[in-house]
Amino acid sequence: MDSPEKVTGARREAPPHLYLGTPFCRGVCAFCNFYKTDLRTYRRYFGEEGRFADAVRRELDLWMPELPARLSTVYIGGGSPLELPDGSLLTLLRDLHRRFDLREAEITVEANPSWPADRAALESGLINRLSIGVQTFSPAGLSLLHRDKIPDPDFLNRVGALVENVSMDLLYDIPGMGESVVRDDLERALAYGPKHLSWYGLEITSENYRRRLPAPDPAAWEKQRGILEAGLGAAGFHRYELSNWAREGWESRHNRAYWECKPYLGIGPAAWGQAVDGEGHPFRYLNTRHPGFWRDAVEGGKWPREETERLGTRELANEFVFLSLRTTEGLDLGEYERRFGEAFEVKFAPALGRLNPCFIKENGHFRLSERGALYYNTVCADLMIVEEPA
Ligand code: SF4
């Protein structure tokens, strides 16, 4: 791994996709694997009105003069941005609209499933996509998730009139929650008319939390996923990524850019980003997670970096494989050869022989079969390059 000084000292090329991290939540949920903290912490470090927006402005200034004039997508999340106090989100949105040409941009903000504190930001017309974290409509499920954000039917019925492009995030395979909960969640989510649905199997990484949950049913994941595939297909949604379904034309442009390995600018505490330095080397970085240290760095005119890694052929090829296999188009064989100088089918011939039932080869692409989609992690593990090419 290169030192941050070596990489961040180089001139950069900023991409037209912006992720703005706001890892401050109104109550922290037990199942969540992202870095996050609460609104008290926000007040501790950004107590004076406008201080957070000013810090974001300063971080963007560090990228000058390479910032593009126009952004394709903006994604604000990693917490509850609409719950930030003192109209902070509205200030941020106004700043971004002043600084960039966002007329054609997809501008997504994450939201809880109820009327937010910053209703003015929601009604400002400065957002055109809302990603609402529902997780489940089941009170028992929410209690297992230790999640106090109860879906509010009034909000969910009326929010589509304010922001046309509404997406909902839900979970399946919650231990102790059977198929009837998934069917009920499906029916209720569809009744609110979202354009897009992200539906992930619950992944538990904390042993402490796992111990407090009912025993998992090893067959639940596959059965519940089958219910979703059938139900969402019948309702006119198509799956375009392992866990994402949309009505035609309403796929997430921001997430697509990520799955297509396009670079994106990460701003704010705990934000990941990927860009290209002045010597043409791609690099990935993680911004300082601690909000106070992030603030101090940007207010002092320094890059707020916790990790910076220059990406070589091995990292880029691995990323290309595991991200493109998430999409329903699959891995573009010509593109793989163009980027990495060798044919995918030759390089991975033994693994592809073993994994034969997991793939469909079609139109110059390798995509996962239904079976392959069930074993995505195992398939990818078999296709990772672990040694640097000689
Ligand atoms: S799920 Fe959302 S609201 Fe809950 S802790 Fe994670 S980021 Fe915060």
Side-chain angles (χ1 to χ4, degrees):
M1 189 180 290
D2 288 313
S3 73
E5 289 74 19
K6 187 173 166 200
V7 179
T8 57
R11 193 183 66 79
R12 289 138 181 282
E13 188 184 305
H17 304 283
L18 173 68
Y19 173 80
L20 173 52
T22 55
F24 308 99
C25 304
R26 199 200 69 205
V28 167
C29 317
F31 67 92
C32 180
N33 297 327
F34 298 110
Y35 173 82
K36 69 275 169 187
T37 180
D38 56 21
L39 292 171
R40 270 177 313 174
T41 308
Y42 181 88
R43 286 197 188 87
R44 187 174 317 136
Y45 296 111
F46 307 102
E48 300 101 82
E49 209 173 312
R51 192 160 182 189
F52 184 65
D54 185 56
V56 168
R57 223 174 281 140
R58 286 168 187 252
E59 190 178 354
L60 286 168
D61 286 344
L62 293 172
W63 286 88
M64 293 299 284
E66 282 82 19
L67 281 180
R70 172 183 299 205
L71 294 181
S72 299
T73 66
V74 175
Y75 194 104
I76 305 177
S80 311
L82 281 155
E83 303 303 325
L84 297 181
D86 309 319
S88 303
L89 179 63
L90 189 56
T91 310
L92 281 169
L93 287 165
R94 286 187 177 137
D95 275 3
L96 292 174
H97 278 266
R98 256 194 301 271
R99 188 187 277 255
F100 300 102
D101 178 351
L102 298 179
R103 280 171 296 180
E104 305 288 321
E106 174 190 274
I107 305 166
T108 305
V109 170
E110 287 186 349
N112 290 327
S114 53
W115 290 108
D118 195 347
R119 200 155 161 166
L122 181 68
E123 294 171 351
S124 64
L126 303 176
I127 299 168
N128 54 29
R129 187 169 183 274
L130 210 61
S131 176
I132 303 175
V134 172
Q135 315 313 345
T136 176
F137 291 94
S138 153
L142 289 168
S143 158
L144 282 173
L145 295 171
H146 297 209
R147 186 170 161 86
D148 62 1
K149 290 135 193 110
I150 313 296
D152 172 2
D154 180 62
F155 170 74
L156 294 172
N157 272 321
R158 290 167 53 197
V159 71
L162 299 171
V163 181
E164 190 188 12
N165 187 353
V166 169
S167 175
M168 290 184 187
D169 273 33
L170 289 106
L171 292 168
Y172 64 98
D173 196 16
I174 303 171
M177 297 290 99
E179 289 166 32
S180 60
V181 169
V182 176
R183 287 186 206 285
D184 188 56
D185 279 350
L186 182 61
E187 195 179 318
R188 292 173 75 171
L190 291 173
Y192 290 115
K195 302 286 194 289
H196 184 280
L197 287 155
S198 300
W199 220 307
Y200 289 90
L202 177 63
E203 280 184 35
I204 302 163
T205 52
S206 153
E207 258 320 303
N208 268 344
Y209 177 47
R210 192 194 305 277
R211 274 198 287 272
R212 285 183 273 146
L213 291 171
D217 168 4
W221 194 88
E222 190 169 341
K223 274 195 249 160
Q224 295 184 12
R225 192 173 166 87
I227 293 170
L228 295 175
E229 286 276 28
L232 290 167
F237 283 75
H238 72 101
R239 187 167 61 74
Y240 68 107
E241 193 265 355
L242 275 181
S243 304
N244 283 270
W245 286 260
R247 293 202 178 279
E248 201 58 50
W250 296 91
E251 300 83 3
S252 161
R253 282 162 50 194
H254 186 85
N255 290 350
R256 240 193 205 291
Y258 172 72
W259 295 317
E260 288 170 1
C261 300
K262 304 245 171 81
Y264 60 97
L265 204 61
I267 298 286
W272 284 97
Q274 194 166 313
V276 178
D277 69 21
E279 294 155 16
H281 297 293
F283 66 98
R284 183 188 297 134
Y285 62 88
L286 169 64
N287 266 1
T288 312
R289 279 175 278 206
H290 188 288
F293 294 160
W294 171 81
R295 178 202 66 187
D296 292 347
V298 293
E299 288 185 353
K302 298 199 181 81
W303 291 105
R305 295 286 183 268
E306 196 158 305
E307 289 174 24
T308 308
E309 181 188 10
R310 195 175 268 190
L311 302 172
T313 307
R314 177 168 60 96
E315 292 83 8
L316 292 170
N318 284 345
E319 186 175 77
F320 186 81
V321 171
F322 77 73
L323 287 179
S324 54
L325 286 180
R326 294 193 68 89
T327 65
T328 43
E329 292 89 1
L331 184 146
D332 183 330
L333 294 168
E335 183 63 17
Y336 186 93
E337 191 163 348
R338 192 187 64 72
R339 287 187 187 209
F340 307 111
E342 51 189 329
F344 178 74
E345 287 172 280
V346 173
K347 180 155 188 71
F348 293 105
L352 292 174
R354 282 194 298 279
L355 298 168
N356 190 33
C358 295
F359 286 110
I360 295 168
K361 186 180 172 188
E362 212 170 51
N363 305 326
H365 286 68
F366 251 70
R367 66 179 169 84
L368 291 177
S369 61
E370 272 181 39
R371 185 113 218 102
L374 293 175
Y375 296 103
Y376 167 77
N377 287 334
T378 316
V379 169
C380 285
D382 229 357
L383 297 174
M384 291 295 104
I385 307 170
V386 287
E387 298 289 331
E388 195 74 68

